[in-house]
Amino acid sequence: MHSEINQLAPPEMAQHSKVPPHLLRYLLQELEQRGIVAEKVLPHTFLGQNTDPSVFLSHEARLTYQQSRLIILKALALTGDESLGLAVGHRQSITSLGLVSLGVMASATGRAALEFGIKYHRLTGSMLEIDLVPAADNALTMIARSRFHEPVLLTFFVQELFAAMVGVVRFTTGSKQAIQRIEMMQAQPEKKSLYQEALGSSVSFDASRNAIFFDAEHLQRPLATADRFVVQEVETLLAGMVQEESNRLGFLKTVEEEVRRGLKNNPSIEEIAGGFSMSERSFRRKLAAFQISFRDILSQIRQSQAMELLLWSRLSSEQIAAELGYSDPRVFRRAFKQWTGETPSQFRKSAIQL
């Protein structure tokens, strides 16, 4: 089993990715309708503060890849539904992406709306790479690619994206014919008709890529909600958000790299601040401006590293504790139980079963 896990190990970037929980909000809604409470899938650290889970899924929240990954895998295991992504995607509406949605609706044409949405899709917490490729007769093909290379998650993310995209395209163009056909890499499901119904188009499986083919004529039609002044205002705001997020992530990434480099030696805030030629006080202030503390960063890195080592390596709990800078393995086990609600050995066992 471990050899299979190692083959699916995500690249380095996956460990440190932090994304808005947009998709997970709709996943929890779908689970609630099916009688599955949030406590069954949310990380244990979210639930130890006696707070409504929705607070942790606000627009300001950020989840690591490992946290998002486990929530989705638990949801898939609990429902046993291979088409769960379709249901989650259908829960979304034209307004679900906030400011990005407003820019999409105010775009001049269907084509402009597609280009706008994909330009800023990262701000919505998208877990896929999305490209728009020119096709014959001025049409477009949207291709979705994995950022993390885990087949089960890729299938879920593609289902969710395509179902949500169908709803957006129908709203903006007012037509079911705007999408010509859809190709999906996943194996042909038992209920193929469910996909045809949900996506409202010709769907083929076992394809070489995940793609939506758009009709050129429908893409050129003007949108009834077009407003170039609104597009300009929204684009200015989103560009500012992109720059702010870039600055934030750039600084925090450097901090995380410094912490990770010295993780075995349990680095102190004074040591890390000194590496930036800053006093401890100034360093704390800068982190506070990004709504995070040094203690949070250290805890998040340890949690992410611990989960990754338990999932992808054969190291014992004692060895992992040492890698994370714990002098006493018992302290590590207590911390891990607080993070996940499970001991390291329980987590490793349940993760392999998923």
Side-chain angles (χ1 to χ4, degrees):
M1 178 62 72
H2 279 284
S3 62
E4 294 175 11
I5 287 179
N6 285 328
Q7 290 172 8
L8 300 179
E12 181 70 14
M13 66 174 288
Q15 305 171 34
H16 321 309
S17 176
K18 294 182 178 65
V19 297
H22 165 78
L23 180 155
L24 298 176
R25 288 200 295 268
Y26 296 100
L27 174 60
L28 291 185
Q29 289 177 13
E30 180 64 25
L31 293 179
E32 183 180 8
Q33 182 172 316
R34 300 185 186 203
I36 300 173
V37 296
E39 286 77 1
K40 292 282 188 181
V41 296
L42 287 179
H44 193 257
T45 45
F46 282 14
L47 305 171
Q49 304 178 32
N50 297 318
T51 308
D52 185 335
S54 63
V55 172
F56 300 101
L57 299 181
S58 71
H59 72 283
E60 294 181 347
R62 291 294 183 274
L63 296 177
T64 65
Y65 167 74
Q66 291 290 13
Q67 289 172 328
S68 301
R69 173 187 184 277
L70 289 173
I71 290 172
I72 295 168
L73 288 178
K74 286 181 179 178
L76 288 167
L78 287 169
T79 60
D81 183 358
E82 66 174 355
S83 62
L84 182 61
L86 289 179
V88 174
H90 267 299
R91 286 195 163 270
Q92 299 169 50
S93 69
I94 186 63
T95 61
S96 294
L97 301 179
L99 277 177
V100 176
S101 291
L102 182 57
V104 167
M105 289 188 290
S107 296
T109 63
R111 185 188 187 101
L114 273 176
E115 292 171 344
F116 188 97
I118 290 174
K119 180 178 180 180
Y120 293 105
H121 80 98
R122 284 289 185 88
L123 289 176
T124 69
S126 172
M127 300 290 275
L128 295 169
E129 298 286 356
I130 305 175
D131 296 317
L132 273 181
V133 180
D137 301 323
N138 208 32
L140 285 177
T141 300
M142 187 189 81
I143 300 173
R145 295 179 288 105
S146 173
R147 291 170 59 192
F148 303 108
H149 310 298
E150 290 192 79
V152 173
L153 292 185
L154 175 59
T155 296
F156 175 87
F157 290 139
V158 169
Q159 289 175 2
E160 181 270 335
L161 170 67
F162 283 11
M165 181 62 69
V166 166
V168 169
V169 171
R170 284 181 181 174
F171 181 91
T172 54
T173 66
S175 172
K176 292 184 179 182
Q177 282 73 50
I179 295 176
Q180 293 178 331
R181 71 182 193 279
I182 293 173
E183 293 180 356
M184 302 181 79
M185 294 174 69
Q186 74 173 82
Q188 182 166 311
E190 291 183 12
K191 299 179 180 179
K192 183 179 178 180
S193 59
L194 175 65
Y195 288 74
Q196 307 281 18
E197 263 177 55
L199 300 176
S201 183
S202 171
V203 184
S204 60
F205 301 93
D206 294 304
S208 61
R209 59 185 178 176
N210 294 298
I212 298 181
F213 296 81
F214 298 97
D215 178 78
E217 180 185 345
H218 286 87
L219 291 182
Q220 299 308 317
R221 293 178 182 176
L223 301 190
T225 51
D227 190 320
R228 65 187 179 91
F229 296 106
V230 171
V231 171
Q232 291 170 356
E233 289 180 5
V234 171
E235 188 134 33
T236 298
L237 290 171
L238 292 178
M241 290 170 64
V242 168
Q243 186 59 55
E244 182 181 341
E245 187 70 358
S246 177
N247 294 340
R248 173 183 177 274
L249 291 178
F251 176 70
L252 292 181
K253 181 181 178 183
T254 307
V255 172
E256 290 178 4
E257 287 172 351
E258 290 298 315
V259 172
R260 196 171 291 106
R261 214 174 346 255
L263 196 57
K264 271 191 174 183
N265 299 317
N266 190 21
S268 67
I269 187 171
E270 295 86 357
E271 293 169 335
I272 301 301
F276 288 87
S277 301
M278 297 173 69
S279 68
E280 179 188 340
R281 183 178 180 185
S282 296
F283 187 65
R284 286 186 187 277
R285 244 192 337 254
K286 184 152 188 176
L287 290 178
F290 293 131
Q291 298 181 324
I292 197 168
S293 68
F294 179 74
R295 182 178 179 181
D296 290 337
I297 291 174
L298 183 58
S299 177
Q300 287 173 5
I301 289 173
R302 281 176 163 164
Q303 182 178 348
S304 179
Q305 289 282 84
M307 288 180 175
E308 183 187 349
L309 290 170
L310 287 166
L311 287 168
W312 315 118
S313 81
R314 296 175 181 271
L315 295 181
S316 66
S317 291
E318 290 74 16
Q319 291 171 313
I320 292 174
E323 289 290 322
L324 302 181
Y326 289 99
S327 56
D328 186 343
R330 292 173 298 181
V331 177
F332 163 61
R333 292 190 187 98
R334 283 198 297 271
F336 194 86
K337 182 74 180 287
Q338 184 179 16
W339 295 331
T340 66
E342 298 177 304
T343 66
S345 58
Q346 289 171 335
F347 174 85
R348 176 175 268 166
K349 184 178 179 180
S350 60
I352 290 174
Q353 290 173 342
L354 284 173

Short mmCIF file of all heavy atoms in Angstrom, two decimals, residues 37-66:
data_model
loop_
_atom_site.label_atom_id
_atom_site.label_comp_id
_atom_site.label_asym_id
_atom_site.label_seq_id
_atom_site.Cartn_x
_atom_site.Cartn_y
_atom_site.Cartn_z
N VAL A 37 -22.97 15.45 9.18
CA VAL A 37 -22.62 16.71 9.84
C VAL A 37 -21.17 17.07 9.56
O VAL A 37 -20.32 16.21 9.29
CB VAL A 37 -22.85 16.62 11.36
CG1 VAL A 37 -24.33 16.41 11.66
CG2 VAL A 37 -22.03 15.48 11.97
N ALA A 38 -20.87 18.38 9.66
CA ALA A 38 -19.53 18.89 9.36
C ALA A 38 -18.46 18.25 10.23
O ALA A 38 -17.33 18.04 9.79
CB ALA A 38 -19.51 20.41 9.53
N GLU A 39 -18.82 17.92 11.47
CA GLU A 39 -17.85 17.35 12.40
C GLU A 39 -17.23 16.05 11.90
O GLU A 39 -16.15 15.66 12.32
CB GLU A 39 -18.51 17.10 13.76
CG GLU A 39 -18.77 18.36 14.58
CD GLU A 39 -19.99 19.16 14.10
OE1 GLU A 39 -20.66 18.72 13.15
OE2 GLU A 39 -20.26 20.21 14.69
N LYS A 40 -17.93 15.40 10.97
CA LYS A 40 -17.43 14.12 10.43
C LYS A 40 -16.24 14.31 9.50
O LYS A 40 -15.46 13.38 9.28
CB LYS A 40 -18.55 13.41 9.67
CG LYS A 40 -19.70 12.91 10.53
CD LYS A 40 -19.30 11.63 11.25
CE LYS A 40 -20.52 11.03 11.95
NZ LYS A 40 -20.15 9.79 12.68
N VAL A 41 -16.12 15.52 8.91
CA VAL A 41 -15.08 15.70 7.90
C VAL A 41 -14.09 16.83 8.20
O VAL A 41 -12.99 16.83 7.67
CB VAL A 41 -15.71 15.95 6.50
CG1 VAL A 41 -16.49 14.75 6.03
CG2 VAL A 41 -16.58 17.20 6.49
N LEU A 42 -14.48 17.81 9.01
CA LEU A 42 -13.59 18.94 9.25
C LEU A 42 -12.41 18.54 10.13
O LEU A 42 -12.54 17.69 11.01
CB LEU A 42 -14.35 20.09 9.92
CG LEU A 42 -15.31 20.87 9.04
CD1 LEU A 42 -16.00 21.95 9.85
CD2 LEU A 42 -14.59 21.48 7.84
N PRO A 43 -11.24 19.17 9.92
CA PRO A 43 -10.08 18.90 10.78
C PRO A 43 -10.42 19.16 12.24
O PRO A 43 -11.18 20.08 12.56
CB PRO A 43 -9.04 19.91 10.28
CG PRO A 43 -9.43 20.16 8.86
CD PRO A 43 -10.94 20.10 8.84
N HIS A 44 -9.85 18.37 13.12
CA HIS A 44 -10.17 18.45 14.54
C HIS A 44 -9.88 19.82 15.12
O HIS A 44 -10.58 20.30 16.02
CB HIS A 44 -9.39 17.38 15.29
CG HIS A 44 -9.86 17.15 16.69
ND1 HIS A 44 -9.20 17.65 17.78
CD2 HIS A 44 -10.95 16.51 17.18
CE1 HIS A 44 -9.86 17.30 18.89
NE2 HIS A 44 -10.91 16.61 18.54
N THR A 45 -8.84 20.50 14.61
CA THR A 45 -8.48 21.82 15.14
C THR A 45 -9.58 22.84 14.90
O THR A 45 -9.69 23.82 15.61
CB THR A 45 -7.19 22.33 14.50
OG1 THR A 45 -7.26 22.11 13.09
CG2 THR A 45 -5.99 21.61 15.05
N PHE A 46 -10.42 22.62 13.88
CA PHE A 46 -11.52 23.53 13.60
C PHE A 46 -12.63 23.39 14.64
O PHE A 46 -13.43 24.29 14.82
CB PHE A 46 -12.12 23.24 12.23
CG PHE A 46 -11.32 23.78 11.09
CD1 PHE A 46 -10.03 24.23 11.27
CD2 PHE A 46 -11.87 23.84 9.83
CE1 PHE A 46 -9.29 24.73 10.22
CE2 PHE A 46 -11.14 24.33 8.76
CZ PHE A 46 -9.86 24.78 8.95
N LEU A 47 -12.67 22.22 15.27
CA LEU A 47 -13.84 21.91 16.10
C LEU A 47 -13.56 22.03 17.59
O LEU A 47 -14.45 21.84 18.40
CB LEU A 47 -14.31 20.49 15.78
CG LEU A 47 -14.61 20.24 14.30
CD1 LEU A 47 -14.86 18.77 14.04
CD2 LEU A 47 -15.79 21.08 13.85
N GLY A 48 -12.33 22.36 17.95
CA GLY A 48 -11.98 22.41 19.37
C GLY A 48 -12.23 23.76 19.99
O GLY A 48 -11.85 24.00 21.13
N GLN A 49 -12.82 24.68 19.24
CA GLN A 49 -13.01 26.04 19.76
C GLN A 49 -14.48 26.37 19.99
O GLN A 49 -14.84 27.52 20.18
CB GLN A 49 -12.39 27.04 18.78
CG GLN A 49 -10.92 26.75 18.51
CD GLN A 49 -10.32 27.72 17.52
OE1 GLN A 49 -10.71 28.87 17.45
NE2 GLN A 49 -9.37 27.26 16.73
N ASN A 50 -15.34 25.34 19.95
CA ASN A 50 -16.77 25.53 20.21
C ASN A 50 -17.36 26.64 19.35
O ASN A 50 -18.11 27.48 19.81
CB ASN A 50 -17.02 25.83 21.70
CG ASN A 50 -16.59 24.68 22.58
OD1 ASN A 50 -16.85 23.53 22.25
ND2 ASN A 50 -15.93 24.97 23.68
N THR A 51 -16.99 26.66 18.10
CA THR A 51 -17.45 27.68 17.17
C THR A 51 -18.16 27.02 16.00
O THR A 51 -17.82 25.93 15.59
CB THR A 51 -16.26 28.51 16.65
OG1 THR A 51 -15.51 28.97 17.77
CG2 THR A 51 -16.70 29.69 15.83
N ASP A 52 -19.14 27.72 15.47
CA ASP A 52 -19.84 27.23 14.30
C ASP A 52 -18.82 26.98 13.18
O ASP A 52 -18.03 27.87 12.86
CB ASP A 52 -20.84 28.30 13.85
CG ASP A 52 -21.72 27.84 12.69
OD1 ASP A 52 -21.26 26.95 11.94
OD2 ASP A 52 -22.82 28.38 12.53
N PRO A 53 -18.82 25.78 12.57
CA PRO A 53 -17.85 25.48 11.50
C PRO A 53 -17.86 26.49 10.37
O PRO A 53 -16.84 26.70 9.71
CB PRO A 53 -18.29 24.10 11.00
CG PRO A 53 -18.97 23.48 12.16
CD PRO A 53 -19.66 24.62 12.88
N SER A 54 -19.00 27.15 10.13
CA SER A 54 -19.06 28.09 9.02
C SER A 54 -18.12 29.28 9.23
O SER A 54 -17.68 29.90 8.27
CB SER A 54 -20.50 28.61 8.84
OG SER A 54 -20.92 29.33 9.99
N VAL A 55 -17.79 29.57 10.50
CA VAL A 55 -16.87 30.65 10.78
C VAL A 55 -15.51 30.37 10.17
O VAL A 55 -14.81 31.25 9.66
CB VAL A 55 -16.71 30.85 12.31
CG1 VAL A 55 -15.59 31.85 12.62
CG2 VAL A 55 -18.04 31.32 12.90
N PHE A 56 -15.12 29.10 10.16
CA PHE A 56 -13.82 28.73 9.65
C PHE A 56 -13.80 28.66 8.12
O PHE A 56 -12.76 28.48 7.53
CB PHE A 56 -13.40 27.37 10.23
CG PHE A 56 -13.30 27.39 11.72
CD1 PHE A 56 -14.30 26.85 12.51
CD2 PHE A 56 -12.20 27.95 12.33
CE1 PHE A 56 -14.21 26.87 13.88
CE2 PHE A 56 -12.10 27.99 13.72
CZ PHE A 56 -13.11 27.45 14.50
N LEU A 57 -14.97 28.78 7.52
CA LEU A 57 -15.04 28.72 6.07
C LEU A 57 -15.46 30.06 5.49
O LEU A 57 -16.07 30.13 4.44
CB LEU A 57 -16.02 27.62 5.65
CG LEU A 57 -15.65 26.21 6.12
CD1 LEU A 57 -16.67 25.20 5.62
CD2 LEU A 57 -14.25 25.82 5.64
N SER A 58 -15.12 31.15 6.19
CA SER A 58 -15.43 32.49 5.70
C SER A 58 -14.48 32.85 4.57
O SER A 58 -13.51 32.14 4.30
CB SER A 58 -15.27 33.51 6.83
OG SER A 58 -13.89 33.66 7.15
N HIS A 59 -14.74 33.97 3.90
CA HIS A 59 -13.91 34.36 2.75
C HIS A 59 -12.48 34.69 3.17
O HIS A 59 -11.57 34.69 2.33
CB HIS A 59 -14.54 35.55 2.03
CG HIS A 59 -14.44 36.84 2.79
ND1 HIS A 59 -15.25 37.14 3.87
CD2 HIS A 59 -13.59 37.90 2.65
CE1 HIS A 59 -14.94 38.34 4.33
NE2 HIS A 59 -13.94 38.81 3.63
N GLU A 60 -12.26 34.96 4.46
CA GLU A 60 -10.91 35.29 4.92
C GLU A 60 -10.12 34.06 5.34
O GLU A 60 -8.91 34.13 5.54
CB GLU A 60 -10.99 36.25 6.12
CG GLU A 60 -11.57 37.62 5.76
CD GLU A 60 -11.62 38.55 6.96
OE1 GLU A 60 -11.45 38.05 8.09
OE2 GLU A 60 -11.81 39.75 6.76
N ALA A 61 -10.78 32.92 5.48
CA ALA A 61 -10.11 31.71 5.94
C ALA A 61 -9.19 31.16 4.85
O ALA A 61 -9.38 31.42 3.67
CB ALA A 61 -11.14 30.66 6.34
N ARG A 62 -8.16 30.43 5.27
CA ARG A 62 -7.26 29.76 4.34
C ARG A 62 -7.00 28.35 4.86
O ARG A 62 -6.75 28.15 6.04
CB ARG A 62 -5.92 30.51 4.22
CG ARG A 62 -6.01 31.85 3.52
CD ARG A 62 -6.38 31.70 2.07
NE ARG A 62 -6.39 32.97 1.36
CZ ARG A 62 -7.42 33.79 1.31
NH1 ARG A 62 -8.55 33.48 1.96
NH2 ARG A 62 -7.37 34.92 0.62
N LEU A 63 -7.06 27.37 3.96
CA LEU A 63 -6.80 25.99 4.33
C LEU A 63 -5.58 25.48 3.59
O LEU A 63 -5.35 25.85 2.44
CB LEU A 63 -8.01 25.11 3.98
CG LEU A 63 -9.32 25.39 4.71
CD1 LEU A 63 -10.42 24.49 4.18
CD2 LEU A 63 -9.16 25.20 6.19
N THR A 64 -4.81 24.63 4.24
CA THR A 64 -3.69 24.02 3.56
C THR A 64 -4.22 22.94 2.60
O THR A 64 -5.35 22.47 2.73
CB THR A 64 -2.71 23.36 4.55
OG1 THR A 64 -3.38 22.26 5.20
CG2 THR A 64 -2.23 24.35 5.58
N TYR A 65 -3.37 22.56 1.67
CA TYR A 65 -3.75 21.49 0.74
C TYR A 65 -4.10 20.22 1.50
O TYR A 65 -5.08 19.55 1.19
CB TYR A 65 -2.61 21.22 -0.25
CG TYR A 65 -2.81 19.94 -1.02
CD1 TYR A 65 -3.77 19.87 -2.03
CD2 TYR A 65 -2.09 18.80 -0.71
CE1 TYR A 65 -3.98 18.70 -2.73
CE2 TYR A 65 -2.30 17.62 -1.40
CZ TYR A 65 -3.24 17.57 -2.41
OH TYR A 65 -3.46 16.41 -3.09
N GLN A 66 -3.29 19.87 2.52
CA GLN A 66 -3.54 18.63 3.25
C GLN A 66 -4.90 18.67 3.95
O GLN A 66 -5.63 17.68 4.00
CB GLN A 66 -2.43 18.38 4.28
CG GLN A 66 -1.09 18.02 3.67
CD GLN A 66 -1.09 16.63 3.03
OE1 GLN A 66 -2.13 16.02 2.83
NE2 GLN A 66 0.08 16.13 2.69
#
